[in-house]
Every structure is written in C-alpha cells, then in structure tokens.
Amino acid sequence: MLFTAPAFVFLFLPLSVIFVAVFGKAHRRLCFCAVSAVYCVLLNMANPINVLCIPLLTVFAFFAAKLATALKARAVGVILGIAPILWLALMRTAAYTDAYGFVYPVGITMPAFCAAAYIFDAARTGEAEKNVGKLWAYLSFFPLMILGPFVGYSRFCELTDEKNLQMGLERGADGVLLFATGFIKRVAVGAVLLNGYEKIFSYSWETPSIAIIILLIALIYFGVFFSVSGYYDMSVGLCRIYGLDVPEIKANPFSALTVGEYGDALFGNVKTWSNVYVTSPISRLFGIRGGEYLASVIACICIVLVVRTDMSALALAVPLAVFACISRALRLEKRESRRKTGLRVLFGVFMMLAVGILWIFVTLDSGAEAMLDYVGGVSLENAEYQTDLVLIAFSGAKYLFVSLIGLFVLVPRMGFAERAYDGSSDRSKAFWSYVRMILLLAVFVVSVVIFSGTAEEYDNALFKYVII
C-alpha cells in the first residue's frame, strides 16, 4: 500500500491523522511509532517476513552506535555504518536476479541510509541514543520511508520535539495541497507517460528507428521526473500534515539543465547523504580542498547505484559524472551561470539523453545486453508504419489532458509565474491561491477516479520507475 493507493488516501491517512491529533498531544513520537508500525505491516502484507526488516535494522543501529561510542574508535563506527549499506546492496542484487524468489522489502532503502548516517554520526560525536524508541520512530517514520527527504537523526529529533510540532489547520492545508500535487504528478502524469513508453517500446522492439528512440527517451525522462518528484511532494506533504516542517524541492524538468540540477530536483536526499558521509570524509582524509568535482562524481555514482545495483549501471555513471564535471567547470549551474542560456540548453539536451538512456537501461530486465540488441536493430525501414503505431498509441484526449495537467502543476513553480505572483497585490494573491486550490482538488479527484489503476502497475514494478 504505497501513497497512491486509494486505501491509503481515503482510509489510512485520515484515520492516522485523527489518531495522532487525538492521542499525540503529549506523546507524539509514540503515536508516530504506532502509525508507522501499522503502515509497515500493510505495506508488506504480501511478504510478511519483510515486516521484520526495520525492527532488525533499528536494533542493529542502536547497538552498533553503542559499541562504536564505547570503544571510542571511529574506524569501528565506519565499519559498522557501512554494514546497512552492504546489506541493502545485497538485498537489491538478490531482488534483481530473483534469487530464490526473494522479494525486496518495500520502503527499506531510505531507512538503511538513515541507519548508516546515525551510526556514522554517533561514532563521530561519541554520543549514542539511549532510548531505542526514538531511534525506532526515526527509522520507521513512513512519510520519509519511500523517497525521503533525507533528514539526519538530530534534525528529526528536533522536528518531532513537542514544542516544534505544529499540527494546525494552516500547515495541514498546505500539506494536503502539496500531497495532492504529488499525487497528480505521480498518477495522472508520470504513470500515463510511462504507460505510453511501454506501448511504444513493445511496438518498436523488432525494428526501432532513431525517431522512436528519441521519443522513448523523452517519454521516460518526463515520466520518471513526474513520478519521482511526485512521490517527493507527497512525502513532504504528509510530513506537514503530521506537523513536521521539512523542506520542499520545487522540481521543474525544464529548468534542470545540468546533471547537478537534475540530481538536486529528484535525488537531493542521496546527494545530501553522499556529500556528508562520503565526500566530506574522503576530502578530510586526503586533504582535498574544495572537492566540488569529487562531490559531483560521488553523487552520480551513489544515485545510479540507488537506481540499479550492478556493474553495468555503474558504467553508466561515468558519462553522467563527466557531464556533471564539465557543467561545473563551465559554471553552468543555474546559481552560477551568467549569460550562458544557449550553452545551458545545449547541455540540457545532452543531459536529457544521458538520463533517458539510463532509465531505459533500468527498465530492461537483461540490462546492457538487451539495450545493445535493441540499438543494434535501429533501421530506417518501416518508419511510416512505426509512425502510425505511435499515432495510434497516443490517440485520444487522454494524453492531451495529461499534458495540460502537467503544465498546470508546473507553471506555479516556474520563475516567471513566481515573479508575477510575488509582484501582485495581496487581493490578487488570495484570488489566484483559491482558484489554484479549487482546480488542484478537482484534478486530484479526477486523478483518483480515472488514473489510479494505471499507477498501480508501476508501483508494483519496484525497480523500474521509483526508488524505494
């Protein structure tokens, strides 16, 4: 039961909010533990044994931090902190290869990263948590479980402190609108685009053409962007509904023109983790100053390995890292660029191609071999026939409607719209906020009624389009 399931939206979410609001006034973390435990059970009902993963991870992290601080050996902390990551890689590899019918525990990726971060921090500071319940609340808190955002343990304790929790109407309404925005992006846009991608891919498998490949790259690039950023918005929205003020990332596929901006928009949690717990220690160990290029390379490697854990995927991290380093050398990041719009757009096209190829590779069960076989079949023959298939696949009002929905959720996050909104009067701001809210809720209802079935298919394909 992921966030897009109707049972979650209309049953679990309202009941859990009522439970936390009624019983959590003095024991909010305890209520979070209870709600997260129920969600973990519902999430893994098809594979009950996987319910034990987070409790076991919590126990390991608790005693590993105790051991590292007792021995006062940071090396021991590093070794113990790496253990959850190695365990995660082992499980992902087993799931990819379908070893002994192993089913990957849904929602374990982020808790494993958080457990490693907690152990690293405990070894560095020499302070370990004495209350296992607080650690359990941190590692099992389900709004952060699926895609993040990544929040360190000390920051989580600060956010969940009774004096900082504000489960009020204003923050709750903001969270509901953000959750609805993410739901629309994931269900009404991302899943439909990915469904179209699957159709085109199946139609063109025997005799692909250059035009078809470019179309596939565009479809999967935008489909994945909307899907992953949609899950992120839902996560942040849920946090705000429960009273936690976590940062929002205003992802826009048209403004992410470098690998760094793309990583910030969709995998900011992985980049933050890699910068703090991989890049910084390496820079201190070897005396590397600055470390911007090292950070870009390591972030690309970590992101790709989170997407797919095998050596072929690691090879695909090389061109991404090269693009990231070149764009950084040319100062093409949005916050640094001056009068380089044309060059940024050119790099954006190359970046879209590279990222699209990565995602196409991820969707292929046999990896590099299947991709080479597909590209090797590129031909100019039957181009007219393939065009007809594309037109058939995208016929009807559905894709036009989806395109309009995509623009509807993106426009308020674009620079010109934000500048126009900031420059308007208070009355105009209130008017447009109400109009957007009404339209957003209307589109949310339409998405639930019409598009929920499409999204369910891709929620079950765990390693194709979403990182969990």
Side-chain angles (χ1 to χ4, degrees):
M1 185 182 70
L2 293 177
F3 299 161
T4 53
F8 176 87
V9 176
F10 298 110
L11 188 61
F12 179 85
L13 179 56
L15 290 179
S16 63
V17 171
I18 293 172
F19 173 77
V20 174
V22 173
F23 298 102
K25 293 182 179 179
H27 304 286
R28 192 66 58 85
R29 286 199 191 102
L30 185 61
C31 288
F32 286 156
C33 288
V35 170
S36 298
V38 173
Y39 180 78
C40 186
V41 171
L42 295 175
L43 191 64
N44 294 286
M45 286 186 67
N47 303 279
I49 190 67
N50 289 342
V51 174
L52 298 175
C53 287
I54 289 183
L56 293 175
L57 184 64
T58 302
V59 172
F60 173 80
F62 182 78
F63 286 105
K66 289 282 188 182
L67 179 61
T69 54
L71 296 177
K72 297 181 180 180
R74 294 184 62 178
V76 174
V78 170
I79 294 172
L80 293 174
I82 292 174
I85 305 301
L86 295 177
W87 173 67
L88 184 67
L90 180 64
M91 288 196 301
R92 292 175 71 88
T93 302
Y96 273 125
T97 57
D98 195 26
Y100 305 105
F102 176 75
V103 178
Y104 186 78
V106 179
I108 197 63
T109 301
M110 282 305 300
F113 275 88
C114 290
Y118 167 72
I119 297 171
F120 289 146
D121 286 340
R124 177 177 56 85
T125 61
E127 298 179 359
E129 178 57 58
K130 298 178 180 179
N131 185 345
V132 70
K134 291 175 66 174
L135 185 59
W136 159 259
Y138 172 58
L139 296 181
S140 67
F141 188 58
F142 72 92
L144 303 177
M145 182 189 296
I146 303 299
L147 273 177
F150 171 73
V151 177
Y153 179 69
S154 58
R155 177 59 177 161
F156 178 81
C157 292
E158 180 182 342
L159 290 173
T160 55
D161 190 271
E162 300 297 334
K163 62 182 180 181
N164 294 326
L165 281 168
Q166 297 179 11
M167 202 173 179
L169 183 61
E170 182 177 353
R171 181 173 291 180
D174 181 54
V176 168
L177 291 179
L178 193 54
F179 179 87
T181 301
F183 189 95
I184 293 167
K185 291 166 70 176
R186 175 69 185 102
V187 171
V189 183
V192 173
L193 292 179
L194 294 173
N195 181 264
Y197 164 82
E198 290 283 0
K199 289 182 179 179
I200 300 302
F201 203 103
S202 62
Y203 292 158
S204 64
W205 179 257
E206 295 296 332
T207 54
S209 67
I210 297 295
I212 293 294
I213 291 178
I214 292 175
L215 175 62
L216 289 173
I217 289 175
L219 280 175
I220 199 165
Y221 175 84
F222 286 103
V224 170
F225 201 104
F226 276 98
S227 297
V228 178
S229 65
Y231 260 124
Y232 193 95
D233 287 345
M234 284 190 281
S235 297
V236 175
L238 286 171
C239 287
R240 293 185 180 178
I241 290 173
Y242 289 107
L244 281 72
D245 188 16
V246 297
E248 173 189 356
I249 293 181
K250 297 182 179 181
N252 180 354
F254 301 106
S255 64
L257 299 181
T258 67
V259 176
E261 292 168 358
Y262 182 86
D264 289 336
L266 294 190
F267 302 100
N269 50 354
V270 180
K271 283 192 65 177
T272 300
W273 190 92
S274 66
N275 287 338
V276 175
Y277 299 105
V278 182
T279 305
S280 294
I282 291 177
S283 299
R284 289 195 299 268
L285 181 63
F286 295 100
I288 301 174
R289 294 184 178 179
E292 294 87 357
Y293 296 99
L294 177 65
S296 298
V297 172
I298 292 177
C300 287
I301 293 173
C302 289
I303 289 171
V304 170
L305 288 180
V306 166
V307 172
R308 187 179 180 104
T309 310
D310 59 23
M311 293 304 296
S312 299
L314 188 60
L316 287 175
V318 175
L320 291 179
V322 170
F323 278 126
C325 291
I326 293 176
S327 63
R328 185 169 289 278
L330 296 175
R331 296 186 178 276
L332 294 180
E333 301 292 333
K334 191 174 184 179
R335 60 182 181 274
E336 299 176 328
S337 61
R338 295 288 186 274
R339 300 177 182 178
K340 296 181 179 179
T341 303
L343 192 57
R344 270 177 52 81
V345 172
L346 178 62
F347 265 78
V349 172
F350 282 113
M351 190 275 298
M352 183 185 295
L353 292 173
V355 171
I357 291 171
L358 169 65
W359 283 112
I360 290 176
F361 170 80
V362 170
T363 64
L364 297 176
D365 293 333
S366 51
E369 183 178 349
M371 178 175 283
L372 292 174
D373 181 61
Y374 179 75
V375 174
V378 171
S379 171
L380 297 178
E381 299 177 2
N382 299 320
E384 183 177 353
Y385 172 66
Q386 290 184 26
T387 302
D388 291 339
L389 290 177
V390 172
L391 293 176
I392 292 171
F394 286 94
S395 62
K398 180 173 69 172
Y399 289 100
L400 176 61
F401 181 64
V402 165
S403 300
L404 293 176
I405 291 175
L407 288 175
F408 170 68
V409 296
L410 285 181
V411 166
R413 299 184 175 191
M414 293 182 176
F416 73 91
E418 291 181 338
R419 288 191 294 271
Y421 180 81
D422 293 337
S424 59
S425 64
D426 292 340
R427 180 174 295 182
S428 297
K429 288 180 180 179
F431 172 77
W432 287 115
S433 295
Y434 281 120
V435 170
R436 180 175 178 269
M437 178 185 67
I438 294 171
L439 291 176
L440 191 66
L441 293 178
V443 175
F444 171 72
V445 172
V446 172
S447 302
V448 172
V449 174
I450 298 178
F451 299 111
S452 290
T454 306
E456 184 177 356
E457 175 185 351
Y458 298 103
D459 285 338
N460 293 329
L462 303 184
F463 294 104
K464 282 192 172 185
Y465 310 109
V466 64
I467 311 306
I468 53 177

